[in-house]
Amino acid sequence: MTEKALTERESDPQSAGRRRFINWLWTGVALAAAAELAWVITSFLKGRRPASAEGRSDRLVEAGAVADFPPGSVTAFPRGRFYLARLEDGGLLALSYRCTHLGCAVPWNAETGRFECPCHSSIFDIRGVVVRSPAQRALDIYPVAVENGIVQVDTGRAVKRSDFRPDQVVYPK
Ligand code: FES
């Protein structure tokens, strides 16, 4: 390309506009990549958060006294995003709010005695077991401990499960 042609091209307002647009586009791509990288690093660091001094997760929720949860009841803990289910035999299960299909929050329907997902109609029983698909596996559970009659739920450790097993239930002593 001759020097004259180059000079003409540089002074062409359309070329200048195209260059500005491409520069703007590259800046946008770079900012989006930086934001994603920051998000990935933050998520990674959050996942590696150490347990507190007592060796427990800092997401331990004190749910209340065992006597506050009658057999056959389900109590919602919106801040912890879990339900505490007290089974008819007195056993306790802490069930995640998240539907195992695509993650919608699943409300408890006290009238039907089931968890009914509003998104694609999956249904789970009081133990979190799939009664109707499309969900393919039971609701996640959180570890439960009972100390001095007080129910504690570790919401920092969701446990995935394909189905219900009796050893998932915690019985107060
Ligand atoms: S997210 Fe619950 S059924 Fe799809």
Side-chain angles (χ1 to χ4, degrees), residues 99-104 106 117-122 124 133-135:
C99 180
T100 53
H101 178 225
L102 292 177
C104 289
V106 186
C117 185
C119 293
H120 312 98
S121 306
S122 285
F124 306 84
S133 52

